[in-house]
């Protein structure tokens, strides 16, 4: 009996002991740290990324945190210059822009106010076009990637407006050389007629090009008068004379043209060169002449006008009236032009 009672008591004590151990181990203690959870870990500050090895994500985060940069200034559009295909071309050493206010003159034969060319610098100029020989002149200039100033005759521009358009399209400067190549110092011309020769010449260039010409003018035969000089100055038109005259209209051939230019130029050392794109010998001489200039160390200066010339409406209208050309054909082209063989 005693043994049975003792065994019972032992069992009860054992059960109580087990219950106490379970209660002690499962209950939180006051000094114990709270268990970490995913939410608590996310709330903790992230350690700073290592500066020595930023990862791709770091780059994105840093870039996104920067303020938006100010937009870059838009560059001013510049005229596109075609690349020169000739690596040894004469080219253009510099371009000058002329303020024609008051009618400044260039070319030391007559106008000595502005000595802007340095040693070995030249300005190429051509009178009397446009003419069927002009495209050959343009090709020679293009082959050497160089530029010139053209002084066309008004009447000639009405004969060959498409050729004058080629001159302007190639980037050359286009002025005027009167309407009919009249020598303006002639006593037969009245003041009104002199004015008409000047203004109609510019109006003809404008009509051919569809845009205003440069206010650059050369007197036929270099024959200026004080009244004409005064009028050009009042219109802010710059006058051109010459330093080196090719005398190509008197030459016996292209070799003579080259000899004239180079002999005079070597003596002068620089200057405005006068040629005529009307002359066949000049067109033939020009490729060799430009190479001679290059070999001699000469450099081409291109002259442009600061502002183009505003032609006078009355002379524009006079020119349209004088041409007496209908604006619209009265007959269909098929009744005028027929192909008979091909």
């Amino acid at each position: 009996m005693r043994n049975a009672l003792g065994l019972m008591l032992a069992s009860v004590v054992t059960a109580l002991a087990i219950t106490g151990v379970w209660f002690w181990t499962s209950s939180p203690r006051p000094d114990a740290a709270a268990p970490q959870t995913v939410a608590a870990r996310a709330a903790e500050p992230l350690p700073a990324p290592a500066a020595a090895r930023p990862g791709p994500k770091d780059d994105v985060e840093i870039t996104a945190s920067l303020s938006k940069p100010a937009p870059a200034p838009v560059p001013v559009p510049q005229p596109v210059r075609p690349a020169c295909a000739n690596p040894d071309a004469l080219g253009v050493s510099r371009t000058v822009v002329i303020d024609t206010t008051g009618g400044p003159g260039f070319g030391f034969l007559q106008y000595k106010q502005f000595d802007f060319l340095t040693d070995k610098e030249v300005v190429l100029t051509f009178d009397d076009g446009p003419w069927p020989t002009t495209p050959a002149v343009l090709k020679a200039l293009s082959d050497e990637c160089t530029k010139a100033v053209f002084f066309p005759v008004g009447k000639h521009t009405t004969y060959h407006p498409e050729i004058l358009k080629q001159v302007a399209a190639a980037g050359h400067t286009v002025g005027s050389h009167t309407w009919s190549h009249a020598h303006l110092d002639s006593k037969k011309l009245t003041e009104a007629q002199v004015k008409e020769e000047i203004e109609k010449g510019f109006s003809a260039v404008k009509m051919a090009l569809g845009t205003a010409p440069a206010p650059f003018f050369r007197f036929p035969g270099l024959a200026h008068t004080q009244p004409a000089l005064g009028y050009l100055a009042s219109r802010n038109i710059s006058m051109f004379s010459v330093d080196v005259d090719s005398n190509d209209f008197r030459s016996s051939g292209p070799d003579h043209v080259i000899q004239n230019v180079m002999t005079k130029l070597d003596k002068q050392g620089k200057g405005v060169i006068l040629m005529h794109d009307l002359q066949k010998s000049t067109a033939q001489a020009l490729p060799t002449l430009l190479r001679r200039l290059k070999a001699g160390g000469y450099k081409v200066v291109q002259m442009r006008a600061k502002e183009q010339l505003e032609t006078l409406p009355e002379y524009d209208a006079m020119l349209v009236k004088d041409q007496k050309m209908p604006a619209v054909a009265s007959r269909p082209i098929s009744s005028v032009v027929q192909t008979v063989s091909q």
Side-chain angles (χ1 to χ4, degrees), residues 69-153:
V74 179
V76 177
Q78 298 294 328
V80 178
R81 291 187 177 182
C84 182
N86 181 359
D88 190 40
L90 175 61
V92 173
S93 65
R94 65 182 175 122
T95 299
V96 297
V97 174
I98 305 301
D99 182 346
T100 62
T101 302
F106 301 96
F108 261 46
L109 181 64
Q110 294 167 294
Y111 313 123
K112 298 178 171 60
Q113 304 99 316
F114 301 102
D115 186 12
F116 74 98
L117 295 176
T118 63
D119 188 42
K120 293 282 187 174
E121 285 189 334
V122 299
V123 177
L124 305 174
T125 68
F126 296 89
D127 288 4
D128 292 359
W131 208 247
T133 48
T134 303
V137 170
L138 293 177
K139 183 182 185 306
L141 295 171
S142 176
D143 289 345
E144 291 295 331
C145 304
T146 194
K147 304 297 180 185
V149 182
F150 285 77
F151 296 95
V153 173

Side-chain angles (χ1 to χ4, degrees), residues 239-258:
M239 299 156 286
F240 280 71
S241 184
V242 60
D243 293 292
V244 175
D245 190 346
S246 67
N247 285 319
D248 50 2
F249 61 97
R250 296 175 180 169
S251 68
S252 58
D255 291 340
H256 195 191
V257 174
I258 297 169

Side-chain angles (χ1 to χ4, degrees), residues 283-335:
Q284 294 172 338
L286 200 56
T288 300
L289 176 58
L290 296 177
R291 296 310 302 164
R292 288 282 300 273
L293 291 175
K294 171 73 174 179
Y298 291 98
K299 299 178 180 180
V300 173
V301 174
Q302 182 180 14
M303 297 182 72
R304 292 179 177 171
K306 182 179 180 181
E307 296 180 356
Q308 301 302 93
L309 179 69
E310 184 176 346
T311 59
L312 299 181
E314 58 265 37
Y315 291 96
D316 293 344
M318 183 185 300
L319 184 62
V320 172
K321 182 179 179 181
D322 289 348
Q323 292 306 295
K324 298 178 180 177
M325 294 295 290
V328 181
S330 58
R331 296 167 56 190
I333 191 170
S334 59
S335 69

Side-chain angles (χ1 to χ4, degrees), residues 190-202:
T190 65
E191 184 177 340
Q193 288 172 321
V194 169
K195 181 178 178 180
E196 182 177 326
E197 277 285 334
I198 294 171
E199 295 295 350
K200 278 182 65 177
F202 280 111

Side-chain angles (χ1 to χ4, degrees), residues 42-66:
E44 292 177 356
L46 293 174
R53 293 189 303 169
K57 183 178 180 181
D58 293 330
D59 289 341
V60 173
E61 290 172 349
I62 292 171
T63 302
S65 69
L66 294 176

Side-chain angles (χ1 to χ4, degrees), residues 22 119 127 161 218 268:
W22 173 85
D119 188 42
D127 288 4
R218 181 178 270 148
Q268 296 280 356

